Amino acid sequence: MNRCHNFNAGPAVLPVPVLERIRDEMLSLPGVGMSVLEISHRSTTFETILAAAEDRLRRLLNVPDTHHILFLQGGASLQFSMVPLNFLPRDGSADYLVTGSWSEKAVEEARKVGRVNLAGTTKAENYARIPKPAELRLDPTAAYVHFTSNNTIFGTQWHTEPEVGDVPLVCDASSDFLSRPLDIRKYALIYAGAQKNAGPAGVTIVIVRDDWLRRIPDGLPTMLDYRTHVKHRSLYNTPPVFAVYVVGLVLEYLEAQGGLAVVSAANAEKAARLYAVIDAGGFYRGTAERDSRSLMNVCFRLPTPELEQMFLQESSANGFAGLAGHRSVGGIRASLYNALPMDSVMALIDFMRDFARCHG
Ligand SMILES: *Cc1c(COP(=O)(O)O)cnc(C)c1O
């Protein structure tokens, strides 16, 4: 077996023990005689898989009983629409903190539903940092505040939640969900497409506070109304059975690692080592300001675009995948999700030192 060092931004690397388990159970789930791809979503087998995934997530993130856990489809992108459709009244206004391309897309969808107040943005600085608390212009009467906890494309991250008082807090946590412990009580709603850090593409995890559901207007399309999925426990229609199964295995793996505090310390160590190489020597240049740096997506430049092309070609020839920056910004991006082994980070660091020595 020859696996490459997978720095993809999403879909992304999964833990090898999870992939082995999928392989081992592919022809027949233990005691079932069918693969998970062939079972009914109404079977007790799947109900057990779904319930176990929910239980594990509840334990890992300490999700209180006040919050529901949903497994939906449509990606984080559908949440950009569902959040305002459910929670932005036509005559109301919502605060959006805009820290990158994904926040911009969330705003675009919210504007189709109601008024949006841009309560903080660093667009003028090409999203190189997270706004400071004093820069936020929050509206105390806003229906909610929406923010993007980790900016996958620009490589910045909120290291603590914005302070929003009593206004409901909504978060797109797609690219750092399960990378660190969170206090779920702070959130009215938090969502994440699984394919960055929690599993494969095809399922979106939503955690929503029960009492907030009372604000939802009647008359929404059934599938777009959070209450449908709460009432039917994510089984209103056929859920993405395979994706939920894999998320369950990833959660089991995270628990076996010792939980999110352990995982978060490993993530911090991986990122610290990589940023140290970027900061040493002057050949590489990090694009995010230091106190806003993401521990998940490390973005950097080389002295010239030609050197960046060469870096990408040579790294690819040496067994590294996924290091090109997002097509909208260029440069280099190394995504260091939970499942990326420290060995891959160390191999990249060696490669970067060699490359700088040859071309610096
Ligand atoms: C990838 C990503 C999205 C888009 O996710 P889809 O599941 O493709 O809709 C949204 N927000 C963030 C922060 C992301 O990283």
Side-chain angles (χ1 to χ4, degrees):
M1 185 182 58
N2 199 3
R3 282 174 61 80
C4 66
H5 297 295
N6 184 352
F7 289 88
N8 275 327
V13 60
L14 287 166
V16 170
V18 166
L19 297 171
E20 288 171 340
R21 176 90 174 266
I22 296 167
R23 178 197 60 198
D24 293 346
E25 296 183 350
M26 183 45 78
L27 293 188
S28 171
L29 284 169
V32 177
M34 287 175 276
S35 88
V36 70
L37 294 164
E38 303 166 295
I39 60 173
S40 164
H41 62 293
R42 305 281 174 208
S43 61
T44 49
T45 304
F46 184 65
E47 282 189 356
T48 307
I49 288 171
L50 184 65
E54 183 184 329
D55 285 351
R56 288 186 197 287
L57 192 55
R58 220 171 255 290
R59 282 200 296 272
L60 272 167
L61 272 174
N62 265 318
V63 179
D65 289 343
T66 45
H67 287 63
H68 303 282
I69 297 177
L70 305 175
F71 296 92
L72 305 184
Q73 298 186 68
S77 299
L78 185 60
Q79 295 307 305
F80 297 165
S81 302
M82 275 179 77
V83 165
L85 284 169
N86 283 261
F87 298 114
L88 176 50
R90 279 182 181 280
D91 56 351
S93 172
D95 281 354
Y96 276 71
L97 303 175
V98 182
T99 51
S101 318
W102 295 116
S103 329
E104 285 181 3
K105 291 202 160 125
V107 165
E108 218 174 289
E109 296 309 308
R111 282 199 167 127
K112 295 174 183 170
V113 178
R115 258 188 317 128
V116 168
N117 171 41
L118 297 184
T121 177
T122 48
K123 189 180 173 71
E125 291 159 67
N126 201 28
Y127 297 125
R129 65 180 179 86
I130 297 297
K132 295 181 173 54
E135 295 171 321
L136 304 186
R137 294 287 171 266
L138 296 167
D139 168 6
T141 68
Y144 57 84
V145 180
H146 180 284
F147 78 111
T148 312
S149 55
N150 184 74
N151 298 284
T152 327
I153 294 173
F154 292 93
T156 62
Q157 187 173 20
W158 291 81
H159 293 297
T160 54
E161 292 88 353
E163 198 53 66
V164 297
D166 291 333
V167 178
L169 184 63
V170 176
C171 178
D172 173 4
S174 291
S175 52
D176 65 0
F177 190 66
L178 300 177
S179 73
R180 57 183 174 181
L182 286 179
D183 184 353
I184 296 294
R185 289 171 305 180
K186 291 183 178 168
Y187 296 86
L189 190 148
I190 180 168
Y191 62 91
Q195 73 273 19
K196 308 290 164 58
N197 207 27
V203 64
T204 305
I205 297 162
V206 175
I207 303 176
V208 58
R209 203 175 67 214
D210 181 69
D211 67 357
W212 211 34
L213 300 171
R214 289 201 288 270
R215 308 256 189 111
I216 299 172
D218 287 330
L220 287 177
T222 309
M223 282 291 288
L224 300 182
D225 188 324
Y226 288 109
R227 293 172 302 184
T228 302
H229 304 291
V230 166
K231 183 171 166 209
H232 295 274
R233 304 184 59 95
S234 307
L235 280 166
Y236 171 72
N237 70 326
T238 317
V241 169
F242 183 72
V244 170
Y245 158 77
V246 179
V247 166
L249 296 182
V250 169
L251 296 169
E252 187 175 344
Y253 173 80
L254 293 177
E255 279 195 309
Q257 299 291 294
L260 297 187
V262 173
V263 167
S264 153
N267 286 335
E269 180 66 25
K270 286 187 284 182
R273 290 195 190 187
L274 187 51
Y275 281 120
V277 175
I278 290 168
D279 292 338
F283 183 74
Y284 300 104
R285 180 174 54 83
T287 54
E289 288 192 11
R290 280 178 198 239
D291 56 3
S292 296
R293 281 174 165 177
S294 168
L295 303 189
M296 293 280 100
N297 310 98
V298 176
C299 296
F300 57 98
R301 307 297 310 232
L302 274 65
T304 66
E306 292 71 32
L307 281 168
E308 286 170 350
Q309 274 318 306
M310 204 185 292
F311 181 95
L312 290 173
Q313 277 160 16
E314 282 187 28
S315 65
S316 159
N318 281 277
F320 297 91
L323 286 170
H326 190 269
R327 58 190 187 283
S328 63
V329 298
I332 313 294
R333 170 176 57 178
S335 296
L336 313 181
Y337 298 125
N338 289 348
L340 183 86
M342 178 61 93
D343 282 353
S344 290
V345 177
M346 297 315 288
L348 178 60
I349 287 172
D350 284 344
F351 174 82
M352 287 170 67
R353 287 197 174 121
D354 284 347
F355 191 91
R357 213 172 291 130
C358 291
H359 302 284

PDB file of all heavy atoms in Angstrom, residues 312-336:
ATOM      1  N   LEU A 312       4.786  23.156  -6.414  1.00  0.00           N
ATOM      2  CA  LEU A 312       3.641  22.252  -6.535  1.00  0.00           C
ATOM      3  C   LEU A 312       4.011  21.024  -7.372  1.00  0.00           C
ATOM      4  O   LEU A 312       3.643  19.899  -7.023  1.00  0.00           O
ATOM      5  CB  LEU A 312       2.437  22.988  -7.141  1.00  0.00           C
ATOM      6  CG  LEU A 312       1.817  24.031  -6.210  1.00  0.00           C
ATOM      7  CD1 LEU A 312       0.754  24.847  -6.931  1.00  0.00           C
ATOM      8  CD2 LEU A 312       1.215  23.358  -4.970  1.00  0.00           C
ATOM      9  N   GLN A 313       4.731  21.247  -8.466  1.00  0.00           N
ATOM     10  CA  GLN A 313       5.122  20.111  -9.311  1.00  0.00           C
ATOM     11  C   GLN A 313       6.045  19.151  -8.568  1.00  0.00           C
ATOM     12  O   GLN A 313       5.828  17.943  -8.560  1.00  0.00           O
ATOM     13  CB  GLN A 313       5.821  20.601 -10.582  1.00  0.00           C
ATOM     14  CG  GLN A 313       4.842  21.009 -11.678  1.00  0.00           C
ATOM     15  CD  GLN A 313       5.486  21.924 -12.712  1.00  0.00           C
ATOM     16  OE1 GLN A 313       6.713  22.025 -12.784  1.00  0.00           O
ATOM     17  NE2 GLN A 313       4.657  22.575 -13.507  1.00  0.00           N
ATOM     18  N   GLU A 314       7.053  19.725  -7.913  1.00  0.00           N
ATOM     19  CA  GLU A 314       8.019  18.859  -7.222  1.00  0.00           C
ATOM     20  C   GLU A 314       7.383  18.160  -6.029  1.00  0.00           C
ATOM     21  O   GLU A 314       7.658  16.985  -5.764  1.00  0.00           O
ATOM     22  CB  GLU A 314       9.241  19.672  -6.760  1.00  0.00           C
ATOM     23  CG  GLU A 314      10.199  19.955  -7.894  1.00  0.00           C
ATOM     24  CD  GLU A 314      11.495  20.600  -7.411  1.00  0.00           C
ATOM     25  OE1 GLU A 314      11.898  20.367  -6.249  1.00  0.00           O
ATOM     26  OE2 GLU A 314      12.098  21.340  -8.210  1.00  0.00           O
ATOM     27  N   SER A 315       6.518  18.866  -5.309  1.00  0.00           N
ATOM     28  CA  SER A 315       5.887  18.226  -4.150  1.00  0.00           C
ATOM     29  C   SER A 315       5.003  17.082  -4.616  1.00  0.00           C
ATOM     30  O   SER A 315       5.000  15.996  -4.032  1.00  0.00           O
ATOM     31  CB  SER A 315       5.087  19.239  -3.327  1.00  0.00           C
ATOM     32  OG  SER A 315       4.000  19.759  -4.060  1.00  0.00           O
ATOM     33  N   SER A 316       4.305  17.299  -5.714  1.00  0.00           N
ATOM     34  CA  SER A 316       3.440  16.246  -6.227  1.00  0.00           C
ATOM     35  C   SER A 316       4.268  15.031  -6.667  1.00  0.00           C
ATOM     36  O   SER A 316       3.896  13.883  -6.395  1.00  0.00           O
ATOM     37  CB  SER A 316       2.611  16.840  -7.367  1.00  0.00           C
ATOM     38  OG  SER A 316       2.131  15.852  -8.195  1.00  0.00           O
ATOM     39  N   ALA A 317       5.421  15.284  -7.292  1.00  0.00           N
ATOM     40  CA  ALA A 317       6.295  14.180  -7.706  1.00  0.00           C
ATOM     41  C   ALA A 317       6.871  13.447  -6.495  1.00  0.00           C
ATOM     42  O   ALA A 317       7.299  12.293  -6.601  1.00  0.00           O
ATOM     43  CB  ALA A 317       7.418  14.709  -8.587  1.00  0.00           C
ATOM     44  N   ASN A 318       6.865  14.115  -5.328  1.00  0.00           N
ATOM     45  CA  ASN A 318       7.429  13.502  -4.118  1.00  0.00           C
ATOM     46  C   ASN A 318       6.357  12.937  -3.172  1.00  0.00           C
ATOM     47  O   ASN A 318       6.641  12.700  -1.996  1.00  0.00           O
ATOM     48  CB  ASN A 318       8.300  14.520  -3.384  1.00  0.00           C
ATOM     49  CG  ASN A 318       9.668  14.663  -4.042  1.00  0.00           C
ATOM     50  OD1 ASN A 318      10.570  13.875  -3.797  1.00  0.00           O
ATOM     51  ND2 ASN A 318       9.800  15.643  -4.931  1.00  0.00           N
ATOM     52  N   GLY A 319       5.156  12.768  -3.668  1.00  0.00           N
ATOM     53  CA  GLY A 319       4.148  12.084  -2.855  1.00  0.00           C
ATOM     54  C   GLY A 319       3.287  12.983  -1.989  1.00  0.00           C
ATOM     55  O   GLY A 319       2.651  12.503  -1.048  1.00  0.00           O
ATOM     56  N   PHE A 320       3.242  14.280  -2.298  1.00  0.00           N
ATOM     57  CA  PHE A 320       2.358  15.183  -1.561  1.00  0.00           C
ATOM     58  C   PHE A 320       1.176  15.560  -2.455  1.00  0.00           C
ATOM     59  O   PHE A 320       1.371  15.889  -3.628  1.00  0.00           O
ATOM     60  CB  PHE A 320       3.101  16.462  -1.166  1.00  0.00           C
ATOM     61  CG  PHE A 320       4.262  16.220  -0.238  1.00  0.00           C
ATOM     62  CD1 PHE A 320       5.533  15.999  -0.743  1.00  0.00           C
ATOM     63  CD2 PHE A 320       4.070  16.190   1.138  1.00  0.00           C
ATOM     64  CE1 PHE A 320       6.608  15.760   0.108  1.00  0.00           C
ATOM     65  CE2 PHE A 320       5.135  15.957   1.996  1.00  0.00           C
ATOM     66  CZ  PHE A 320       6.410  15.739   1.480  1.00  0.00           C
ATOM     67  N   ALA A 321      -0.015  15.542  -1.908  1.00  0.00           N
ATOM     68  CA  ALA A 321      -1.210  15.891  -2.683  1.00  0.00           C
ATOM     69  C   ALA A 321      -1.925  17.067  -2.043  1.00  0.00           C
ATOM     70  O   ALA A 321      -1.872  17.255  -0.826  1.00  0.00           O
ATOM     71  CB  ALA A 321      -2.149  14.688  -2.751  1.00  0.00           C
ATOM     72  N   GLY A 322      -2.590  17.868  -2.878  1.00  0.00           N
ATOM     73  CA  GLY A 322      -3.525  18.880  -2.372  1.00  0.00           C
ATOM     74  C   GLY A 322      -2.894  20.155  -1.852  1.00  0.00           C
ATOM     75  O   GLY A 322      -3.518  20.866  -1.071  1.00  0.00           O
ATOM     76  N   LEU A 323      -1.685  20.496  -2.277  1.00  0.00           N
ATOM     77  CA  LEU A 323      -1.004  21.666  -1.704  1.00  0.00           C
ATOM     78  C   LEU A 323      -1.270  22.975  -2.446  1.00  0.00           C
ATOM     79  O   LEU A 323      -0.837  24.043  -1.987  1.00  0.00           O
ATOM     80  CB  LEU A 323       0.509  21.406  -1.627  1.00  0.00           C
ATOM     81  CG  LEU A 323       0.927  20.429  -0.513  1.00  0.00           C
ATOM     82  CD1 LEU A 323       2.392  20.031  -0.649  1.00  0.00           C
ATOM     83  CD2 LEU A 323       0.679  21.052   0.867  1.00  0.00           C
ATOM     84  N   ALA A 324      -1.982  22.922  -3.555  1.00  0.00           N
ATOM     85  CA  ALA A 324      -2.269  24.179  -4.276  1.00  0.00           C
ATOM     86  C   ALA A 324      -3.294  24.990  -3.492  1.00  0.00           C
ATOM     87  O   ALA A 324      -4.282  24.456  -2.992  1.00  0.00           O
ATOM     88  CB  ALA A 324      -2.804  23.870  -5.670  1.00  0.00           C
ATOM     89  N   GLY A 325      -3.058  26.301  -3.398  1.00  0.00           N
ATOM     90  CA  GLY A 325      -4.039  27.178  -2.764  1.00  0.00           C
ATOM     91  C   GLY A 325      -5.349  27.148  -3.550  1.00  0.00           C
ATOM     92  O   GLY A 325      -5.380  26.698  -4.699  1.00  0.00           O
ATOM     93  N   HIS A 326      -6.432  27.610  -2.929  1.00  0.00           N
ATOM     94  CA  HIS A 326      -7.719  27.657  -3.624  1.00  0.00           C
ATOM     95  C   HIS A 326      -7.579  28.449  -4.924  1.00  0.00           C
ATOM     96  O   HIS A 326      -6.834  29.433  -4.972  1.00  0.00           O
ATOM     97  CB  HIS A 326      -8.769  28.305  -2.719  1.00  0.00           C
ATOM     98  CG  HIS A 326     -10.175  28.179  -3.249  1.00  0.00           C
ATOM     99  ND1 HIS A 326     -10.739  29.135  -4.067  1.00  0.00           N
ATOM    100  CD2 HIS A 326     -11.105  27.217  -3.095  1.00  0.00           C
ATOM    101  CE1 HIS A 326     -11.977  28.765  -4.377  1.00  0.00           C
ATOM    102  NE2 HIS A 326     -12.222  27.598  -3.793  1.00  0.00           N
ATOM    103  N   ARG A 327      -8.277  28.021  -5.950  1.00  0.00           N
ATOM    104  CA  ARG A 327      -8.115  28.649  -7.272  1.00  0.00           C
ATOM    105  C   ARG A 327      -8.358  30.152  -7.245  1.00  0.00           C
ATOM    106  O   ARG A 327      -7.849  30.886  -8.080  1.00  0.00           O
ATOM    107  CB  ARG A 327      -9.014  27.957  -8.304  1.00  0.00           C
ATOM    108  CG  ARG A 327     -10.492  27.980  -7.942  1.00  0.00           C
ATOM    109  CD  ARG A 327     -11.314  27.079  -8.856  1.00  0.00           C
ATOM    110  NE  ARG A 327     -12.738  27.248  -8.590  1.00  0.00           N
ATOM    111  CZ  ARG A 327     -13.387  26.726  -7.553  1.00  0.00           C
ATOM    112  NH1 ARG A 327     -12.734  25.963  -6.681  1.00  0.00           N
ATOM    113  NH2 ARG A 327     -14.666  26.948  -7.373  1.00  0.00           N
ATOM    114  N   SER A 328      -9.108  30.644  -6.252  1.00  0.00           N
ATOM    115  CA  SER A 328      -9.397  32.085  -6.206  1.00  0.00           C
ATOM    116  C   SER A 328      -8.256  32.903  -5.608  1.00  0.00           C
ATOM    117  O   SER A 328      -8.238  34.118  -5.756  1.00  0.00           O
ATOM    118  CB  SER A 328     -10.680  32.325  -5.405  1.00  0.00           C
ATOM    119  OG  SER A 328     -10.495  31.891  -4.071  1.00  0.00           O
ATOM    120  N   VAL A 329      -7.320  32.280  -4.902  1.00  0.00           N
ATOM    121  CA  VAL A 329      -6.260  33.064  -4.255  1.00  0.00           C
ATOM    122  C   VAL A 329      -4.844  32.620  -4.625  1.00  0.00           C
ATOM    123  O   VAL A 329      -3.885  33.376  -4.432  1.00  0.00           O
ATOM    124  CB  VAL A 329      -6.389  33.051  -2.702  1.00  0.00           C
ATOM    125  CG1 VAL A 329      -7.694  33.673  -2.271  1.00  0.00           C
ATOM    126  CG2 VAL A 329      -6.249  31.653  -2.131  1.00  0.00           C
ATOM    127  N   GLY A 330      -4.672  31.429  -5.153  1.00  0.00           N
ATOM    128  CA  GLY A 330      -3.339  30.951  -5.541  1.00  0.00           C
ATOM    129  C   GLY A 330      -2.476  30.606  -4.338  1.00  0.00           C
ATOM    130  O   GLY A 330      -2.982  30.392  -3.224  1.00  0.00           O
ATOM    131  N   GLY A 331      -1.171  30.578  -4.554  1.00  0.00           N
ATOM    132  CA  GLY A 331      -0.244  30.250  -3.472  1.00  0.00           C
ATOM    133  C   GLY A 331      -0.339  28.786  -3.056  1.00  0.00           C
ATOM    134  O   GLY A 331      -0.846  27.940  -3.788  1.00  0.00           O
ATOM    135  N   ILE A 332       0.123  28.532  -1.829  1.00  0.00           N
ATOM    136  CA  ILE A 332       0.165  27.168  -1.309  1.00  0.00           C
ATOM    137  C   ILE A 332      -0.761  27.088  -0.100  1.00  0.00           C
ATOM    138  O   ILE A 332      -0.823  28.031   0.704  1.00  0.00           O
ATOM    139  CB  ILE A 332       1.601  26.788  -0.861  1.00  0.00           C
ATOM    140  CG1 ILE A 332       2.645  27.166  -1.924  1.00  0.00           C
ATOM    141  CG2 ILE A 332       1.679  25.314  -0.480  1.00  0.00           C
ATOM    142  CD1 ILE A 332       2.550  26.420  -3.222  1.00  0.00           C
ATOM    143  N   ARG A 333      -1.461  25.987   0.022  1.00  0.00           N
ATOM    144  CA  ARG A 333      -2.290  25.750   1.209  1.00  0.00           C
ATOM    145  C   ARG A 333      -2.096  24.308   1.666  1.00  0.00           C
ATOM    146  O   ARG A 333      -2.321  23.384   0.892  1.00  0.00           O
ATOM    147  CB  ARG A 333      -3.769  25.995   0.906  1.00  0.00           C
ATOM    148  CG  ARG A 333      -4.689  25.518   2.039  1.00  0.00           C
ATOM    149  CD  ARG A 333      -6.149  25.847   1.791  1.00  0.00           C
ATOM    150  NE  ARG A 333      -6.649  25.293   0.535  1.00  0.00           N
ATOM    151  CZ  ARG A 333      -7.904  25.418   0.107  1.00  0.00           C
ATOM    152  NH1 ARG A 333      -8.769  26.100   0.826  1.00  0.00           N
ATOM    153  NH2 ARG A 333      -8.278  24.881  -1.042  1.00  0.00           N
ATOM    154  N   ALA A 334      -1.692  24.153   2.907  1.00  0.00           N
ATOM    155  CA  ALA A 334      -1.575  22.816   3.491  1.00  0.00           C
ATOM    156  C   ALA A 334      -2.691  22.653   4.521  1.00  0.00           C
ATOM    157  O   ALA A 334      -2.724  23.372   5.521  1.00  0.00           O
ATOM    158  CB  ALA A 334      -0.214  22.659   4.157  1.00  0.00           C
ATOM    159  N   SER A 335      -3.610  21.751   4.269  1.00  0.00           N
ATOM    160  CA  SER A 335      -4.701  21.525   5.219  1.00  0.00           C
ATOM    161  C   SER A 335      -4.302  20.416   6.181  1.00  0.00           C
ATOM    162  O   SER A 335      -3.881  19.342   5.763  1.00  0.00           O
ATOM    163  CB  SER A 335      -5.980  21.161   4.468  1.00  0.00           C
ATOM    164  OG  SER A 335      -6.371  22.264   3.663  1.00  0.00           O
ATOM    165  N   LEU A 336      -4.416  20.734   7.468  1.00  0.00           N
ATOM    166  CA  LEU A 336      -3.892  19.838   8.521  1.00  0.00           C
ATOM    167  C   LEU A 336      -5.038  19.288   9.362  1.00  0.00           C
ATOM    168  O   LEU A 336      -5.041  19.449  10.582  1.00  0.00           O
ATOM    169  CB  LEU A 336      -2.931  20.612   9.435  1.00  0.00           C
ATOM    170  CG  LEU A 336      -1.858  21.498   8.798  1.00  0.00           C
ATOM    171  CD1 LEU A 336      -1.014  22.154   9.888  1.00  0.00           C
ATOM    172  CD2 LEU A 336      -0.970  20.688   7.872  1.00  0.00           C
TER     173      LEU A 336
END
